Amino acid sequence: KILSPDIQQRGSNITAERLRFDFNFPRPVTKEELAQVERMVNEQILNGLPVDVRMMPIDQARAAGAMALFSEKYGDIVRVVSMGEFSRELCGGTHVANTGNIGMLRIVSESSIAAGIRRIEAVTGEGVERIIDEIKDTMSAMTSMLGNASDVKTAVERAISENAALKKQVDDFFKERVAAITKSMLENPREVNGIKIMEMAGPRLPEVVKNVAFGIRSASPAHTVFVAATVSDGKPLLTVALSDDLVKEGYNAGKIVREAAKHIKGGGGGQPFFAQAGGKDHEGLAAAREAILASLPLS
């Protein structure tokens, strides 16, 4: 009635807790279509239609408009189940005596289980009551978290908007901080044997370290090395970035980091111009740093 008259049942499972109905359909069922199905079913539940079960010859059943919902071979005598004039099916299952006994139906999911086969899962009666109770509990908790707002929807929208604004401020601050650190390091390098060395240490966010490393590389100073031996959430991190001319000379950040990572009981790697390695022992960061510097043409 809502999706297609060509739909056929491709499987089902009915338990005391929930029901499952599989059917052929070439695309996902929209939320609007599911809502229509749900409303139609609940209308017929509220109508309290009597459920009539009769045995009759299959030709007589088809003439009466009985629908075979799945591809199956039927005998000469079939079981016809009618719910008022709304639905008449060939079906071997058990049924309520009246649609009103179902109480209410709520569709909880719609998904694909195979090519061209969809699955609807739903609950009825007490199952719907449990869902409503859970929704009420969730709404009550949200209302409390939002300072007992009278309009939860508006309060949530406002919180989302404020969060987005704060996130932008944090992102802007992050970019400014990275830019300031990068500028300071580029202006004050330590130079050894013609190589500019820029180092970072201590507690640092991995994102800051990576962005500074790429900021230094994008500035393209020749004969430049960026070395970071940092800690984040108690875990050590080694970072090496090399200028392109050093890479062309045969130096490889990935190999350098892998060797140095042994000192922090870790591993990692990357590309010849940029690499990182994590580990478990931050006590070995000093030795790892020395190993990195020793692998470079600094003497």
Side-chain angles (χ1 to χ4, degrees):
K1 283 181 168 63
I2 292 172
L3 299 183
S4 167
D6 299 321
I7 283 176
Q8 287 190 323
Q9 178 176 316
R10 298 300 189 191
S12 69
N13 183 32
I14 314 298
T15 72
E17 295 299 322
R18 63 200 300 117
L19 64 93
R20 188 178 75 209
F21 182 78
D22 302 337
F23 59 99
N24 60 303
F25 199 58
R27 62 169 175 81
V29 184
T30 68
K31 289 182 179 179
E32 292 75 16
E33 289 166 335
L34 288 173
Q36 282 183 271
V37 172
E38 203 174 70
R39 278 196 298 270
M40 181 177 287
V41 173
N42 283 316
E43 283 174 7
Q44 303 312 315
I45 291 173
L46 287 172
N47 286 339
L49 303 176
V51 178
D52 180 67
V53 180
R54 297 186 185 185
M55 304 299 294
M56 64 180 70
I58 190 167
D59 292 340
Q60 182 182 341
R62 292 192 187 283
M67 180 185 296
L69 288 180
F70 47 92
S71 301
E72 233 182 55
K73 291 184 178 179
Y74 293 92
D76 294 334
I77 303 298
V78 293
R79 186 173 185 269
V80 180
V81 180
S82 302
M83 280 138 277
E85 296 300 317
F86 178 75
S87 175
R88 186 168 289 115
E89 308 166 17
L90 303 184
C91 186
T94 56
H95 290 80
V96 293
N98 187 290
T99 60
N101 299 146
I102 296 169
M104 187 179 182
L105 175 133
R106 181 66 187 266
I107 295 173
V108 294
S109 70
E110 189 275 345
S111 61
S112 170
I113 60 168
I117 305 295
R118 310 298 301 180
R119 170 171 290 173
I120 280 180
E121 292 187 88
V123 294
T124 59
E126 291 181 359
V128 179
E129 290 182 13
R130 283 195 293 271
I131 287 178
I132 293 172
D133 287 342
E134 289 171 3
I135 292 172
K136 286 171 63 179
D137 290 344
T138 300
M139 289 297 294
S140 177
M142 288 179 65
T143 300
S144 178
M145 285 187 288
L146 293 167
N148 295 317
S150 57
D151 186 342
V152 173
K153 181 175 179 292
T154 300
V156 169
E157 289 173 345
R158 184 172 60 250
I160 291 172
S161 177
E162 291 173 353
N163 182 67
L166 288 171
K167 184 177 183 301
K168 186 179 184 305
Q169 290 179 28
V170 171
D171 288 344
D172 290 344
F173 175 78
F174 177 85
K175 291 175 183 177
E176 290 173 4
R177 181 64 178 154
V178 166
I181 295 172
T182 304
K183 183 175 182 291
S184 175
M185 295 185 81
L186 285 167
E187 291 175 348
N188 302 283
R190 178 167 67 95
E191 191 164 332
V192 179
N193 196 29
I195 304 292
K196 298 182 184 69
I197 304 170
M198 302 175 201
E199 293 191 66
M200 182 178 282
R204 298 281 185 173
L205 290 172
E207 296 85 354
V208 170
V209 176
K210 185 175 181 179
N211 279 275
V212 168
F214 277 95
I216 288 172
R217 270 190 50 78
S218 67
S220 300
H223 286 76
T224 299
V225 175
F226 172 81
V227 178
T230 57
V231 178
S232 178
D233 291 330
K235 296 179 181 178
L237 178 68
L238 299 175
T239 304
V240 175
L242 305 177
S243 55
D244 290 337
D245 58 319
L246 289 177
V247 173
K248 288 178 181 177
E249 290 176 18
Y251 295 95
N252 188 305
K255 292 180 180 178
I256 292 171
V257 156
R258 275 194 296 275
E259 282 300 310
K262 294 175 182 177
H263 293 283
I264 58 171
K265 298 180 181 178
Q271 301 184 27
F273 62 87
F274 176 82
Q276 290 185 306
K280 301 175 183 176
D281 183 12
H282 62 81
E283 297 292 337
L285 276 174
R289 170 188 171 275
E290 292 300 324
I292 291 171
L293 295 175
S295 64
L296 297 168
L298 303 180
S299 59

